[in-house]
C-alpha cells in the first residue's frame, strides 16, 4: 500500500436487504480510497462458496478476506457472541459483525472508526476520504521534513 493507509470493512451475508446498498457504497468508496493511495480490504464471515459467488457477481476491485469464526471482527470490537444484531434489528437472523469501517495507519493505529449498530447510519465517504488523504499528507510532510533536515 503506497501510503501505508489501510481501510478495513466488514460484511455479513446475513444482512439481507442491507447488503446491496452497503456493497454499492463500498465499491464507490474504494475508487476514492485507491485514488488517494489507500488500500481497502473487506472481511466477510461466510463460507468460501458465498465469497466466490459474491466476487463473481460483482464489480469489486478490492481484497475480500474470509473472517473465519469472526476472529478479525472480534479484534475490532464489531462482533460479540453475547450481543447480536438479530436481537434488536428486524430482518437479521444470524450471528455476524455490525456494518463497520476502520482506517489503520502505517503504525497500525486505528485513526478512524465507524460502526453502524442500528443499520441506519452508513459510513461517510467524505470522512473516509479526508482521513486517508490527511494521513497520506502527514506521511509526505514527515518524509519531506526528514529530507530537508538531512540537507543542512
Amino acid at each position: 500500500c503506497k501510503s501505508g493507509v489501510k481501510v478495513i470493512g466488514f460484511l455479513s451475508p446475513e444482512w439481507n436487504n442491507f447488503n446491496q446498498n452497503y456493497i454499492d457504497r463500498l465499491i464507490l468508496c474504494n475508487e476514492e480510497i485507491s485514488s488517494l493511495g489507500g488500500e481497502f480490504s473487506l472481511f466477510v464471515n461466510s463460507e468460501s462458496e458465498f465469497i466466490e459467488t459474491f466476487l463473481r457477481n460483482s464489480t469489486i476491485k478490492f481484497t475480500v478476506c474470509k473472517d473465519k469464526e469472526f476472529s478479525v471482527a472480534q479484534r475490532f470490537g464489531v462482533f460479540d457472541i453475547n450481543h447480536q444484531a438479530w436481537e434488536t434489528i428486524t430482518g437479521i437472523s444470524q450471528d455476524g459483525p455490525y456494518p463497520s469501517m476502520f482506517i489503520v495507519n502505517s503504525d497500525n493505529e486505528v485513526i478512524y472508526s465507524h460502526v453502524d449498530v442500528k443499520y441506519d447510519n452508513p459510513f461517510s465517504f467524505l470522512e473516509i476520504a479526508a482521513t486517508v488523504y490527511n494521513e497520506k499528507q502527514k506521511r509526505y510532510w514527515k518524509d519531506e521534513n526528514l529530507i530537508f533536515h538531512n540537507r543542512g
Side-chain angles (χ1 to χ4, degrees):
C1 174
K2 295 177 212 166
S3 67
V5 180
K6 295 163 197 69
V7 180
I8 298 168
F10 292 89
L11 175 74
S12 176
E14 286 74 30
W15 292 346
N16 302 329
N17 295 334
F18 184 83
N19 264 350
Q20 193 54 55
N21 183 41
Y22 187 72
I23 292 166
D24 292 343
R25 291 176 60 78
L26 292 177
I27 291 169
L28 289 172
C29 191
N30 179 60
E31 293 173 12
E32 188 69 25
I33 292 166
S34 295
S35 71
L36 293 170
E39 180 180 299
F40 180 64
S41 296
L42 179 66
F43 287 85
V44 180
N45 66 298
S46 188
E47 297 302 320
S48 298
E49 302 84 46
F50 171 83
I51 295 172
E52 289 168 13
T53 303
F54 172 70
L55 291 173
R56 191 173 36 252
N57 296 330
S58 67
T59 58
I60 291 176
K61 295 179 182 169
F62 48 77
T63 303
V64 178
C65 308
K66 182 177 179 181
D67 187 13
K68 188 175 182 179
E69 299 178 10
F70 311 104
S71 61
V72 178
Q74 285 178 333
R75 284 188 215 134
F76 277 87
V78 294
F79 176 81
D80 182 344
I81 195 67
N82 298 314
H83 303 286
Q84 291 294 314
W86 53 261
E87 296 172 331
T88 56
I89 306 295
T90 305
I92 307 294
S93 58
Q94 305 263 337
D95 293 348
Y98 287 100
S100 49
M101 298 286 282
F102 296 88
I103 300 177
V104 179
N105 67 15
S106 60
D107 296 325
N108 290 322
E109 299 168 324
V110 175
I111 56 173
Y112 171 88
S113 64
H114 176 82
V115 181
D116 187 3
V117 179
K118 294 183 179 181
Y119 292 67
D120 63 354
N121 184 24
F123 62 87
S124 164
F125 290 116
L126 182 58
E127 287 177 4
I128 290 174
T131 304
V132 171
Y133 177 81
N134 288 338
E135 187 63 21
K136 184 177 177 186
Q137 291 301 309
K138 200 182 319 178
R139 296 289 174 197
Y140 171 76
W141 287 109
K142 182 178 177 183
D143 291 344
E144 281 295 311
N145 195 25
L146 290 173
I147 292 168
F148 180 73
H149 286 293
N150 288 336
R151 290 183 192 156

